Amino acid sequence: MPSYLSFKDRANKSAAQANVRAVLPDVESYNADNVPGALAASDPDFATSNSDNGYAGMTAAELKTSYDQAFPSSVWVASGDTAFPAGVTAVPPTATNYCILSQNGNWYAWKLGPSGPIQVDTVAANACK
């Protein structure tokens, strides 16, 4: 039984990391399309703001609607996203920064900013720092 639990734990850790990795193209597409004054057809958050840029205004729901219908429900980009994990300090998306967060089992994986590495931990309070 212990070997099964160890395998399951490693699988959860890998799945959390893979979820973050899988949505990065969506995040970067949002960044490229979200420019001030863009037309409604090309601005992903046109309905809420036509003056922001970069990652500002990004939500998991917006990424799912505009870029990826299969966006994982266990990935969050803003504290207002549905079922955002308790204990995680949210990093609001800005023009130049974000924190993509995923949870699988007891593992949290996150990527803080476009140049940050994907990190993992079992403690929610350590995520997005």
Side-chain angles (χ1 to χ4, degrees):
M1 190 65 132
S3 65
Y4 166 75
L5 295 176
S6 174
F7 174 75
K8 184 177 177 184
D9 191 55
R10 285 192 315 267
N12 284 335
K13 180 180 179 182
S14 294
Q17 291 172 304
N19 283 342
V20 171
R21 208 173 298 108
V23 303
L24 292 177
D26 305 328
V27 169
E28 292 309 324
S29 292
Y30 181 97
N31 177 47
D33 293 344
N34 191 33
V35 296
L39 300 174
S42 63
D43 187 346
D45 70 338
F46 185 85
T48 56
S49 175
N50 187 243
S51 61
D52 62 357
N53 66 340
Y55 307 104
M58 183 171 59
T59 65
E62 187 58 55
L63 292 174
K64 182 174 185 167
T65 299
S66 298
Y67 299 101
D68 188 354
Q69 298 297 308
F71 194 89
S73 60
S74 63
V75 174
W76 302 273
V77 297
S79 61
D81 290 344
T82 303
F84 189 86
V88 175
T89 301
V91 174
T94 66
T96 59
N97 198 28
Y98 61 80
C99 185
I100 305 300
L101 172 71
S102 176
Q103 181 184 9
N104 200 317
N106 63 336
W107 284 97
Y108 296 88
W110 67 93
K111 179 173 171 49
L112 182 58
S115 62
I118 296 175
Q119 300 179 59
V120 292
D121 202 322
T122 57
V123 179
N126 293 338
C128 294
K129 290 188 177 182

